[in-house]
Amino acid sequence: MDFNVRKLATDAGIFFSRAVQFTEEKLGQAEKTELDAHFENLLSRADCTKNWTEKIYRQTEVVLQPNPGARIEEFLYEKLDRKVPPRPTNGEILGQFMLEAAKEFGSGTPYGSTLIKVGDCQRRLGGAEREFLQTSSISFLIPLRNFLEGDWRTISRERKLLENRRLDLDACKARVKKAKAAETKAGAVPDFQETRPRNYVLSASASALWNEELDKAEHELRVAQTEFDRQAEVTRLLLEGISSTHVNHLRCLCEFVEAQAMYYSQCHKYMLELQRELGRWLCIRFHSCPIVNALHSSPSVNIEEVQPPASGTRKAKVLYDYDAADSSELSLRADELITVYTVPGMDSDWLIGERGNQKGKVPVTYLELLS
């Protein structure tokens, strides 16, 4: 490997000079070329975009993968350019445990058969979660990360280069100012008349030298100004591209919301199906059990003679369909609203429901009581 000491020393000197100049600017001891208001607004907007994109990205990672150990593992696999091994979701693991427990307890037992139903639902919920995580990562996380690791790095690099060009420009301005002051001083008339011939010669020589130095400094200033203007234009175009970045992130955000809506809709559907299946299963077992039927019918209630109380009636929303087992019950249809109330001596798992002129007992588990 080549090691250029001269280049290293030159770079170190430039770095030190710029550091001193930057410090003097902060202390108000040196002039600074200010950017126009539009450019400053672009810089502020870019910084705001970067900061909030980074926060949203990090927090979305936490929402999608709450386990910090799993996030670190995925990060390491990504840096090693290796595929992340498939990992079951918590819902899938829970569902598998329930299914294995059902085998131990016996699928023919009430508890075992219920574990099978719930376990299968949990596995479907876990599968829906897996699809949601994959979709969200592709449509939302990856575009945000690409901006932070790609576009923003390019913007940062060009901004740093622009800052160096500005420091070089201000240094050239300072040299021109210094050369002009020295040339003016060298061209002044000597004060001592007795030494005028010698002073005149020295003054003319010094004036010529400073005039040459001034020409050189002004040339360097023109070059520095050109490089600064060119770099400012490049940086400005990149900063104005933040608007298109916002448009892209908006599209990704909408896709993320759509993925969330689909995921929660699937979960709601699976849970309603499970509730309906468990409700029917419990209802069948409830009516097929002689002891429960005897307890249920022991305090006989004549539905025709039941009158609603003066106060205490409530509205209820039907969660899912229910077919009446006999004439004392009221059939229900999902999502309809009925009036319900209780009467003395009635089982706490049942209410009297009314729909228009129809009246009958309804199971509480099929209702959502409204305030």
Side-chain angles (χ1 to χ4, degrees), residues 156-351:
S156 299
R157 184 172 60 251
E158 297 300 328
R159 284 178 65 178
K160 183 178 180 181
L161 186 57
L162 176 63
E163 182 68 10
N164 290 335
R165 294 286 182 263
R166 185 194 63 77
L167 291 171
D168 293 341
L169 176 62
D170 289 339
C172 290
K173 288 180 178 179
R175 284 196 294 271
V176 169
K177 186 176 181 181
K178 181 179 178 181
K180 285 183 177 180
E183 183 189 34
T184 302
K185 184 177 179 181
V189 179
D191 294 334
F192 301 99
Q193 297 296 324
E194 64 276 9
T195 59
R196 183 172 181 178
R198 185 165 62 98
N199 286 343
Y200 179 79
V201 173
L202 292 176
S203 177
S205 177
S207 179
L209 290 175
W210 281 113
N211 186 43
E212 182 180 351
E213 183 68 21
L214 178 60
D215 291 341
K216 180 180 178 182
E218 288 179 342
H219 174 72
E220 292 177 352
L221 175 61
R222 289 191 295 270
V223 173
Q225 185 70 57
T226 301
E227 292 180 350
F228 172 79
D229 293 340
R230 184 186 298 114
Q231 185 59 37
E233 181 64 18
V234 171
T235 308
R236 182 183 62 80
L237 292 175
L238 289 174
L239 293 175
E240 289 177 347
I242 291 294
S243 297
S244 61
T245 298
H246 286 190
V247 174
N248 183 46
H249 288 183
L250 173 61
R251 177 183 59 80
C252 296
L253 181 61
C254 292
E255 292 180 1
F256 176 60
V257 172
E258 288 296 326
Q260 275 188 312
M262 182 178 297
Y263 167 60
Y264 290 123
S265 176
Q266 285 181 320
C267 291
H268 184 254
K269 176 185 176 182
Y270 294 153
M271 292 308 300
L272 282 181
E273 291 175 356
L274 178 62
Q275 278 186 317
R276 187 177 297 114
E277 189 173 359
L278 290 181
R280 288 173 178 173
W281 181 82
L282 292 173
C283 186
I284 292 173
R285 295 194 64 84
F286 182 83
H287 285 291
S288 64
C289 179
I291 299 177
V292 175
N293 282 336
L295 292 174
H296 175 56
S297 60
S298 56
S300 59
V301 178
N302 190 341
I303 299 299
E304 299 298 330
E305 298 178 356
V306 171
Q307 296 297 325
S311 61
T313 60
R314 300 178 65 178
K315 290 292 184 181
K317 179 181 178 181
V318 179
L319 297 177
Y320 27 78
D321 296 345
Y322 174 74
D323 296 326
D326 53 46
S327 59
S328 67
E329 296 180 2
L330 179 67
S331 295
L332 303 174
R333 293 295 174 262
D335 297 329
E336 69 174 335
L337 294 178
I338 62 174
T339 301
V340 295
Y341 52 88
T342 185
V343 295
M346 191 170 184
D347 191 285
S348 60
D349 291 332
W350 293 79
L351 293 171

